[in-house]
Amino acid sequence: KNQVEQSPQSLIILEGKNCTLQCNYTVSPFSNLRWYKQDTGRGPVSLTIMTFSENTKSNGRYTATLDADTKQSSLHITASQLSDSASYICVVIGHNFNKFYFGSGTKLNVKP
Amino acid sequence: EAGVAQSPRYKIIEKRQSVAFWCNPISGHATLYWYQQILGQGPKLLIQFQNNGVVDDSQLPKDRFSAERLKGVDSTLKIQPAKLEDSAVYLCASSSEGEITDTQYFGPGTRLTVL
């Protein structure tokens, strides 16, 4: 069964600290993996898109990594800001029929 | 560039009533998606259109949900009759060609509460 599991479910960090969110998946074969940021009450916003051949992709203070062999991805946030408080969703797009498989998200709370 | 527009933003109905949501994608985007997001979960794809044709509706509960995209632009999603478990945020998203690495742009969503 194709699944996307994210951890931790929720995380609280202090402003200025770094954090890493995890995504494990069983979708196979897959064509690309995405990380989205979803602020409360708003739609998700794309942060990074990585194809199966890419190992890392950065977008400002956000860096995503991908290990296709172990089927793991991580999203690293550097020097966190209060505005980083949101849910972060990992999405894996299957190669067959281009199906989207969404994780349940990690809820990040950055405190001053 | 204007984003994906959705209306209404909030809707409260009683079970067994019907409801409709509207989505206007980014101009020129060929692919349109409707998702259901239950509180605390990731979005679940309900239906994907490419222009005005359906690409994937395998997770759409067709006995009560319907969607159309006339003329390949705006789209409406209807629920009739609504059940308590339909309480969720309904997200619309669009992408330019539906290519596998195209960025999806999401609207703000419609929060539906079924009492």
Side-chain angles (χ1 to χ4, degrees), chain A residues 10-21:
Chain A
S10 62
L11 182 63
I12 300 173
I13 62 172
L14 292 176
E15 186 179 12
K17 298 295 186 183
N18 303 336
C19 68
T20 300
L21 314 180

Side-chain angles (χ1 to χ4, degrees), chain B residues 23 49 51-53 67-76 78:
Chain B
C23 172
F49 292 96
N51 296 308
N52 60 349
E68 60 182 11
R69 190 183 184 198
L70 300 176
K71 301 179 183 177
V73 182
D74 293 7
S75 177
T76 55
K78 296 179 181 177

Side-chain angles (χ1 to χ4, degrees), chain A residues 31-32 34 36 38 41 43-44 46 49 51 89 93 98-100 102-104, chain B residues 9 33 35 37 40-43 56 58 91 100-104 106-108:
Chain A
S31 64
N32 67 89
R34 306 173 181 213
Y36 288 85
Q38 185 173 23
S46 181
I49 301 175
T51 64
I89 302 173
I93 291 79
N98 297 338
K99 278 190 177 291
F100 283 63
F102 284 78
S104 296
Chain B
R9 290 297 312 277
Y33 311 79
Y35 291 90
Q37 186 174 25
Q41 298 182 17
D56 183 357
S58 56
L91 294 164
I100 203 56
T101 52
D102 278 350
T103 297
Q104 277 185 317
F106 283 82

Side-chain angles (χ1 to χ4, degrees), chain A:
Chain A
K1 180 180 175 184
N2 290 313
Q3 283 188 311
V4 178
E5 302 282 346
Q6 292 188 242
S7 62
Q9 215 171 8
S10 62
L11 182 63
I12 300 173
I13 62 172
L14 292 176
E15 186 179 12
K17 298 295 186 183
N18 303 336
C19 68
T20 300
L21 314 180
Q22 299 291 343
C23 173
N24 295 340
Y25 61 92
T26 59
V27 180
S28 182
F30 81 101
S31 64
N32 67 89
L33 184 146
R34 306 173 181 213
W35 283 92
Y36 288 85
K37 178 186 179 188
Q38 185 173 23
D39 291 313
T40 301
R42 310 195 62 166
V45 173
S46 181
L47 292 176
T48 60
I49 301 175
M50 289 183 292
T51 64
F52 63 88
S53 60
E54 294 178 289
N55 300 120
T56 186
K57 184 70 70 78
S58 290
N59 178 358
R61 295 178 297 102
Y62 302 101
T63 299
T65 63
L66 173 62
D67 186 333
D69 291 332
T70 61
K71 294 186 169 56
Q72 294 179 326
S73 176
S74 64
L75 180 70
H76 187 74
I77 304 174
T78 304
S80 61
Q81 301 176 357
L82 298 179
S83 59
D84 292 332
S85 294
S87 287
Y88 291 84
I89 302 173
C90 174
V91 185
V92 180
I93 291 79
H95 186 71
N96 296 328
F97 310 110
N98 297 338
K99 278 190 177 291
F100 283 63
Y101 297 91
F102 284 78
S104 296
T106 292
K107 190 172 178 62
L108 175 65
N109 191 355
V110 180
K111 290 189 173 295

